[in-house]
Amino acid sequence: MLTKNAPQDKPKDGRDTKGEWYTRHSVLRTAQRAAALVNLLTAGKPTPENVAAVLRKHGETDPLEVSSEDVKQMRIVADSLRDVFASPDVDAAATRLNRLLAEGSGPARLTSHRGRTPWHIHLDSDDDAPWAEWLLASSCMAMAVLIWDRQRLPGGVCASPSCTNVYVTGGSGAPRRYCSGRCATRERVASHRRTRPSPNKS
């Protein structure tokens, strides 16, 4: 469930491919991929090409066949996932995730993508399930595990008034408020300018 496309060829250079796979498809990375896709799919006019580019960036392998209809259905899923990121508290996030899991995921099953990956859990109906079904199942499971593990919100919506991006929260420390350092810096500068005394006019 953490990945849809399995690697096509096993490297022959002695690399620890299982370790790399787990790093690329960890629960945290899966949640971060969900955030990246939500940000792309709920803003502007996403295309199959730029959706595929985000999937590749987050560990999916070629060939990636994403159609316009896939993008249309993934946008519907992304709107539902955005509601989870926008939850005001962990109880609301858990309730929304429970609803999405009940409506859009199947029973848990183990897969190794025909022996091409380590065994892992999927909640979609099949290894070749549509992209939208896979996105919903993989994203919901990742965020559900984060709530289970941390007992806090899995993410949020950027606090910058000029940004609508969602983000995944860290494991500890002060609660995150911005999707990126760029937004945080911009808002700190804006706040400083608002509170700075105006120069005396001559």
Side-chain angles (χ1 to χ4, degrees):
M1 189 227 41
L2 298 181
T3 182
K4 186 174 191 295
N5 281 11
Q8 300 303 304
D9 297 295
K10 293 182 178 179
K12 300 176 182 179
D13 58 6
R15 285 184 292 145
D16 178 13
T17 55
K18 284 188 178 180
E20 288 181 7
W21 187 91
Y22 283 119
T23 298
R24 287 185 287 120
H25 299 290
S26 68
V27 168
L28 180 60
R29 290 286 294 273
T30 300
Q32 290 168 340
R33 180 189 64 208
L37 285 167
V38 167
N39 291 335
L40 173 64
L41 289 161
T42 59
K45 296 182 179 179
T47 66
E49 292 74 22
N50 54 29
V51 169
V54 170
L55 290 169
R56 288 188 191 96
K57 181 178 178 182
H58 288 269
E60 295 303 311
T61 56
D62 284 310
L64 288 178
E65 298 179 3
V66 181
S67 68
S68 296
E69 181 61 24
D70 287 326
V71 174
K72 179 181 177 182
Q73 296 303 317
M74 290 173 82
R75 291 189 77 177
I76 295 171
V77 170
D79 284 335
S80 296
L81 294 174
R82 177 176 280 279
D83 287 343
V84 177
F85 282 104
S87 298
D89 53 52
V90 70
D91 289 350
T95 298
R96 292 171 186 180
L97 278 171
N98 281 338
R99 177 176 52 80
L100 291 176
L101 285 165
E103 293 173 356
S105 65
R109 62 188 177 83
L110 286 164
T111 181
S112 67
H113 294 280
R114 302 173 187 90
R116 297 196 298 271
T117 71
W119 286 99
H120 58 284
I121 291 177
H122 269 238
L123 292 182
D124 50 7
S125 60
D126 186 82
D127 287 354
D128 298 318
W131 282 107
E133 181 183 338
W134 165 83
L135 174 61
L136 179 64
S138 63
S139 301
C140 285
M141 189 169 86
M143 288 194 284
V145 171
L146 288 180
I147 289 177
W148 174 16
D149 185 53
R150 300 173 176 178
Q151 297 298 305
R152 61 190 295 183
L153 283 166
V157 179
C158 187
S160 172
S162 60
C163 181
T164 59
N165 281 349
V166 301
Y167 57 85
V168 176
T169 54
S172 60
R176 182 174 174 180
R177 298 185 61 232
Y178 300 100
C179 69
S180 66
R182 186 181 203 178
C183 278
T185 298
R186 183 174 61 243
E187 290 308 310
R188 280 197 297 269
V189 170
S191 176
H192 176 71
R193 287 176 177 166
R194 286 192 299 269
T195 57
R196 188 174 56 187
S198 299
N200 293 329
K201 293 183 179 180
S202 55

